[in-house]
Structures are given as C-alpha cells and as structure tokens.
Amino acid sequence: MTTPDRRAQSTPLAEAPDYSEQAEKLLQQRHDLAAVVFLSTDGLIAGAGGEVDREQAETTAASASGLYSLGRESLAVVAGGGARARSVTIEGEDGRFLLIVAAGDNLRIAAFTQPDPDLGGVMYELAKLADTFALHISSRGDGR
C-alpha cells in the first residue's frame, strides 16, 4: 500500500508550474551563480537548477524557508511588526554567498554564488526576477 505524499498536498505550489526552467535561465545570465532553488514558504521545492541535485535542492528549500522566516521575525522585533523582509544574505568563509529573496507571499528564491561574485549584479537580477514573479503571482489572485 502506497502512502500519499502529504507534503505535495500541503502547499498551493503543489499545482504550480515547475520553476526549474527559470532557474536555468538565471544561471545562464549570471555565471557567478552556482545554483538556484525556488521554494514555497513552507519549505517545499518549486524548481531548481545548477550545481544541486534533487536531495540538495529539497534540503536547501527546507533550510532556506526557515532562515528567511528567522530573518523576517528578527527584523520585525528590531524594526517593528510592520517591517517586511525582502532578502536574507549569508556569506561563507570561502567568498560564496547564499541569498534568499522573497518573490511574492508564498515563493522564495535561494541562490548560491560562486566565490567572490559581483554581489550587486546578482542581487539586482534576483530582485528583478522576484518582482516579476510577485507581480505575476498577485495578478493571478490565488495567493500563490
């Protein structure tokens, strides 16, 4: 007897398209990115590309969701309850970065850079992509 996958049913993104193609497009534009993972706010993978396999993408989705939530809550404590986080940045000792950017209410983009990236350029492209997704998602009116 097969147990149904409850994780796939727990998020509105379960019925959304796979964003792996958008991840690959971003990786082609930015050679200083190593991997990109799209994820829902509840930590489920919505697409991935680059130097990451399925298991790594799932782990990234879960941990990035938690990191973003912690950053958002910490900002709210310091800046007040109305403050909204746009991104979370973690710098590694080797010059790589993990960037987590909000793309609407229920979608996040986690991007891993190569060592010593053009961080301003990467953040610009991520913000532009996130804004595009946020507008697309909100225009659908379904909360995804």
Side-chain angles (χ1 to χ4, degrees):
M1 178 177 185
T2 305
T3 305
D5 185 1
R6 290 183 296 136
R7 293 183 317 160
Q9 297 170 358
S10 68
T11 177
L13 284 172
E15 297 174 7
D18 182 353
Y19 295 116
S20 296
E21 185 176 324
Q22 286 80 11
E24 291 296 340
K25 285 180 184 177
L26 182 58
L27 289 161
Q28 289 172 2
Q29 292 173 341
R30 298 295 321 184
H31 296 288
D32 44 3
L33 286 176
V36 175
V37 177
F38 284 82
L39 58 127
S40 66
T41 54
D42 55 0
L44 298 178
I45 185 172
E51 300 172 9
V52 62
D53 63 25
R54 179 71 184 188
E55 185 176 332
Q56 291 168 326
E58 288 175 351
T59 299
T60 296
S63 61
S65 175
L67 288 168
Y68 184 88
S69 293
L70 287 170
R72 182 190 65 225
E73 293 303 317
S74 296
L75 180 63
V77 167
V78 174
R84 293 185 55 116
R86 290 185 53 113
S87 66
V88 173
T89 302
I90 299 173
E91 181 180 3
E93 291 179 349
D94 63 354
R96 296 175 195 258
F97 288 82
L98 166 59
L99 308 164
I100 308 163
V101 179
D105 290 336
N106 194 35
L107 186 67
R108 307 287 180 254
I109 306 168
F112 293 94
T113 70
Q114 301 287 357
D116 304 314
D118 170 9
L119 199 55
V122 171
M123 284 302 295
Y124 173 78
E125 291 297 331
L126 288 173
K128 191 167 75 170
L129 183 62
D131 287 346
T132 299
F133 272 91
L135 286 173
H136 174 71
I137 290 168
S138 67
S139 71
R140 291 190 321 209
D142 60 4
R144 283 188 258 169

